[in-house]
mmCIF file with all atom_site columns, all heavy atoms in Angstrom:
data_model
loop_
_atom_site.group_PDB
_atom_site.id
_atom_site.type_symbol
_atom_site.label_atom_id
_atom_site.label_alt_id
_atom_site.label_comp_id
_atom_site.label_asym_id
_atom_site.label_entity_id
_atom_site.label_seq_id
_atom_site.pdbx_PDB_ins_code
_atom_site.Cartn_x
_atom_site.Cartn_y
_atom_site.Cartn_z
_atom_site.occupancy
_atom_site.B_iso_or_equiv
_atom_site.pdbx_formal_charge
_atom_site.auth_seq_id
_atom_site.auth_comp_id
_atom_site.auth_asym_id
_atom_site.auth_atom_id
_atom_site.pdbx_PDB_model_num
ATOM 1  N N   . LEU A 1 292 ? 99.727  -26.024 78.705 1.00 97.00 ? 571 LEU A N   1
ATOM 2  C CA  . LEU A 1 292 ? 99.505  -25.941 77.272 1.00 97.00 ? 571 LEU A CA  1
ATOM 3  C C   . LEU A 1 292 ? 98.264  -25.055 76.977 1.00 97.00 ? 571 LEU A C   1
ATOM 4  O O   . LEU A 1 292 ? 98.249  -24.331 75.984 1.00 97.00 ? 571 LEU A O   1
ATOM 5  C CB  . LEU A 1 292 ? 99.302  -27.325 76.681 1.00 97.00 ? 571 LEU A CB  1
ATOM 6  C CG  . LEU A 1 292 ? 100.509 -28.274 76.729 1.00 97.00 ? 571 LEU A CG  1
ATOM 7  C CD1 . LEU A 1 292 ? 100.147 -29.608 76.091 1.00 97.00 ? 571 LEU A CD1 1
ATOM 8  C CD2 . LEU A 1 292 ? 101.726 -27.669 76.043 1.00 97.00 ? 571 LEU A CD2 1
ATOM 9  N N   . GLN A 1 293 ? 97.273  -25.147 77.831 1.00 96.00 ? 572 GLN A N   1
ATOM 10 C CA  . GLN A 1 293 ? 96.062  -24.361 77.586 1.00 96.00 ? 572 GLN A CA  1
ATOM 11 C C   . GLN A 1 293 ? 96.336  -22.851 77.697 1.00 96.00 ? 572 GLN A C   1
ATOM 12 O O   . GLN A 1 293 ? 95.664  -22.048 77.015 1.00 96.00 ? 572 GLN A O   1
ATOM 13 C CB  . GLN A 1 293 ? 94.994  -24.754 78.634 1.00 96.00 ? 572 GLN A CB  1
ATOM 14 C CG  . GLN A 1 293 ? 94.405  -26.146 78.417 1.00 96.00 ? 572 GLN A CG  1
ATOM 15 C CD  . GLN A 1 293 ? 93.625  -26.646 79.593 1.00 96.00 ? 572 GLN A CD  1
ATOM 16 O OE1 . GLN A 1 293 ? 93.413  -25.935 80.594 1.00 96.00 ? 572 GLN A OE1 1
ATOM 17 N NE2 . GLN A 1 293 ? 93.198  -27.904 79.536 1.00 96.00 ? 572 GLN A NE2 1
ATOM 18 N N   . SER A 1 294 ? 97.298  -22.473 78.504 1.00 96.00 ? 573 SER A N   1
ATOM 19 C CA  . SER A 1 294 ? 97.618  -21.064 78.655 1.00 96.00 ? 573 SER A CA  1
ATOM 20 C C   . SER A 1 294 ? 98.711  -20.559 77.716 1.00 96.00 ? 573 SER A C   1
ATOM 21 O O   . SER A 1 294 ? 98.995  -19.376 77.670 1.00 96.00 ? 573 SER A O   1
ATOM 22 C CB  . SER A 1 294 ? 98.055  -20.785 80.121 1.00 96.00 ? 573 SER A CB  1
ATOM 23 O OG  . SER A 1 294 ? 99.252  -21.464 80.416 1.00 96.00 ? 573 SER A OG  1
ATOM 24 N N   . ALA A 1 295 ? 99.308  -21.482 76.964 1.00 95.00 ? 574 ALA A N   1
ATOM 25 C CA  . ALA A 1 295 ? 100.512 -21.135 76.170 1.00 95.00 ? 574 ALA A CA  1
ATOM 26 C C   . ALA A 1 295 ? 100.221 -20.102 75.101 1.00 95.00 ? 574 ALA A C   1
ATOM 27 O O   . ALA A 1 295 ? 100.988 -19.141 74.910 1.00 95.00 ? 574 ALA A O   1
ATOM 28 C CB  . ALA A 1 295 ? 101.093 -22.388 75.556 1.00 95.00 ? 574 ALA A CB  1
ATOM 29 N N   . ARG A 1 296 ? 99.089  -20.253 74.384 1.00 95.00 ? 575 ARG A N   1
ATOM 30 C CA  . ARG A 1 296 ? 98.821  -19.329 73.270 1.00 95.00 ? 575 ARG A CA  1
ATOM 31 C C   . ARG A 1 296 ? 98.632  -17.898 73.772 1.00 95.00 ? 575 ARG A C   1
ATOM 32 O O   . ARG A 1 296 ? 99.167  -16.942 73.181 1.00 95.00 ? 575 ARG A O   1
ATOM 33 C CB  . ARG A 1 296 ? 97.569  -19.793 72.492 1.00 95.00 ? 575 ARG A CB  1
ATOM 34 C CG  . ARG A 1 296 ? 97.347  -19.004 71.208 1.00 95.00 ? 575 ARG A CG  1
ATOM 35 C CD  . ARG A 1 296 ? 98.518  -19.230 70.239 1.00 95.00 ? 575 ARG A CD  1
ATOM 36 N NE  . ARG A 1 296 ? 98.406  -18.425 69.044 1.00 95.00 ? 575 ARG A NE  1
ATOM 37 C CZ  . ARG A 1 296 ? 98.851  -17.152 68.911 1.00 95.00 ? 575 ARG A CZ  1
ATOM 38 N NH1 . ARG A 1 296 ? 99.454  -16.556 69.959 1.00 95.00 ? 575 ARG A NH1 1
ATOM 39 N NH2 . ARG A 1 296 ? 98.767  -16.521 67.779 1.00 95.00 ? 575 ARG A NH2 1
ATOM 40 N N   . ALA A 1 297 ? 97.915  -17.741 74.871 1.00 95.00 ? 576 ALA A N   1
ATOM 41 C CA  . ALA A 1 297 ? 97.687  -16.407 75.433 1.00 95.00 ? 576 ALA A CA  1
ATOM 42 C C   . ALA A 1 297 ? 98.998  -15.860 75.994 1.00 95.00 ? 576 ALA A C   1
ATOM 43 O O   . ALA A 1 297 ? 99.286  -14.639 75.874 1.00 95.00 ? 576 ALA A O   1
ATOM 44 C CB  . ALA A 1 297 ? 96.640  -16.449 76.523 1.00 95.00 ? 576 ALA A CB  1
ATOM 45 N N   . ARG A 1 298 ? 99.815  -16.726 76.582 1.00 95.00 ? 577 ARG A N   1
ATOM 46 C CA  . ARG A 1 298 ? 101.072 -16.272 77.189 1.00 95.00 ? 577 ARG A CA  1
ATOM 47 C C   . ARG A 1 298 ? 102.052 -15.790 76.125 1.00 95.00 ? 577 ARG A C   1
ATOM 48 O O   . ARG A 1 298 ? 102.730 -14.766 76.303 1.00 95.00 ? 577 ARG A O   1
ATOM 49 C CB  . ARG A 1 298 ? 101.673 -17.408 78.007 1.00 95.00 ? 577 ARG A CB  1
ATOM 50 C CG  . ARG A 1 298 ? 102.973 -17.070 78.741 1.00 95.00 ? 577 ARG A CG  1
ATOM 51 C CD  . ARG A 1 298 ? 102.766 -15.978 79.745 1.00 95.00 ? 577 ARG A CD  1
ATOM 52 N NE  . ARG A 1 298 ? 103.994 -15.734 80.514 1.00 95.00 ? 577 ARG A NE  1
ATOM 53 C CZ  . ARG A 1 298 ? 104.398 -14.536 80.914 1.00 95.00 ? 577 ARG A CZ  1
ATOM 54 N NH1 . ARG A 1 298 ? 103.704 -13.456 80.603 1.00 95.00 ? 577 ARG A NH1 1
ATOM 55 N NH2 . ARG A 1 298 ? 105.506 -14.413 81.606 1.00 95.00 ? 577 ARG A NH2 1
ATOM 56 N N   . ILE A 1 299 ? 102.154 -16.520 75.014 1.00 95.00 ? 578 ILE A N   1
ATOM 57 C CA  . ILE A 1 299 ? 103.103 -16.095 73.977 1.00 95.00 ? 578 ILE A CA  1
ATOM 58 C C   . ILE A 1 299 ? 102.637 -14.774 73.330 1.00 95.00 ? 578 ILE A C   1
ATOM 59 O O   . ILE A 1 299 ? 103.464 -13.921 72.998 1.00 95.00 ? 578 ILE A O   1
ATOM 60 C CB  . ILE A 1 299 ? 103.317 -17.196 72.911 1.00 95.00 ? 578 ILE A CB  1
ATOM 61 C CG1 . ILE A 1 299 ? 104.492 -16.805 71.975 1.00 95.00 ? 578 ILE A CG1 1
ATOM 62 C CG2 . ILE A 1 299 ? 102.076 -17.408 72.089 1.00 95.00 ? 578 ILE A CG2 1
ATOM 63 C CD1 . ILE A 1 299 ? 105.820 -16.721 72.693 1.00 95.00 ? 578 ILE A CD1 1
ATOM 64 N N   . ALA A 1 300 ? 101.325 -14.591 73.236 1.00 94.00 ? 579 ALA A N   1
ATOM 65 C CA  . ALA A 1 300 ? 100.814 -13.333 72.689 1.00 94.00 ? 579 ALA A CA  1
ATOM 66 C C   . ALA A 1 300 ? 101.141 -12.175 73.635 1.00 94.00 ? 579 ALA A C   1
ATOM 67 O O   . ALA A 1 300 ? 101.542 -11.084 73.208 1.00 94.00 ? 579 ALA A O   1
ATOM 68 C CB  . ALA A 1 300 ? 99.295  -13.426 72.492 1.00 94.00 ? 579 ALA A CB  1
ATOM 69 N N   . GLN A 1 301 ? 101.029 -12.417 74.940 1.00 93.00 ? 580 GLN A N   1
ATOM 70 C CA  . GLN A 1 301 ? 101.330 -11.407 75.945 1.00 93.00 ? 580 GLN A CA  1
ATOM 71 C C   . GLN A 1 301 ? 102.834 -11.052 75.907 1.00 93.00 ? 580 GLN A C   1
ATOM 72 O O   . GLN A 1 301 ? 103.203 -9.839  75.898 1.00 93.00 ? 580 GLN A O   1
ATOM 73 C CB  . GLN A 1 301 ? 100.972 -11.891 77.346 1.00 93.00 ? 580 GLN A CB  1
ATOM 74 C CG  . GLN A 1 301 ? 101.340 -10.919 78.468 1.00 93.00 ? 580 GLN A CG  1
ATOM 75 C CD  . GLN A 1 301 ? 101.183 -11.559 79.832 1.00 93.00 ? 580 GLN A CD  1
ATOM 76 O OE1 . GLN A 1 301 ? 100.860 -12.759 79.972 1.00 93.00 ? 580 GLN A OE1 1
ATOM 77 N NE2 . GLN A 1 301 ? 101.443 -10.804 80.881 1.00 93.00 ? 580 GLN A NE2 1
ATOM 78 N N   . LEU A 1 302 ? 103.686 -12.058 75.849 1.00 92.00 ? 581 LEU A N   1
ATOM 79 C CA  . LEU A 1 302 ? 105.133 -11.807 75.831 1.00 92.00 ? 581 LEU A CA  1
ATOM 80 C C   . LEU A 1 302 ? 105.548 -11.100 74.542 1.00 92.00 ? 581 LEU A C   1
ATOM 81 O O   . LEU A 1 302 ? 106.422 -10.231 74.567 1.00 92.00 ? 581 LEU A O   1
ATOM 82 C CB  . LEU A 1 302 ? 105.896 -13.134 75.976 1.00 92.00 ? 581 LEU A CB  1
ATOM 83 C CG  . LEU A 1 302 ? 105.834 -13.809 77.330 1.00 92.00 ? 581 LEU A CG  1
ATOM 84 C CD1 . LEU A 1 302 ? 106.449 -15.206 77.265 1.00 92.00 ? 581 LEU A CD1 1
ATOM 85 C CD2 . LEU A 1 302 ? 106.567 -12.977 78.378 1.00 92.00 ? 581 LEU A CD2 1
ATOM 86 N N   . ALA A 1 336 ? 103.062 -23.407 72.777 1.00 97.00 ? 615 ALA A N   1
ATOM 87 C CA  . ALA A 1 336 ? 101.875 -23.082 71.972 1.00 97.00 ? 615 ALA A CA  1
ATOM 88 C C   . ALA A 1 336 ? 101.812 -23.975 70.734 1.00 97.00 ? 615 ALA A C   1
ATOM 89 O O   . ALA A 1 336 ? 100.720 -24.393 70.311 1.00 97.00 ? 615 ALA A O   1
ATOM 90 C CB  . ALA A 1 336 ? 101.930 -21.619 71.542 1.00 97.00 ? 615 ALA A CB  1
#
Side-chain angles (χ1 to χ4, degrees):
L571 295 181
Q572 289 166 6
S573 64
R575 189 62 185 88
R577 182 62 175 142
I578 190 63
Q580 177 191 3
L581 290 171

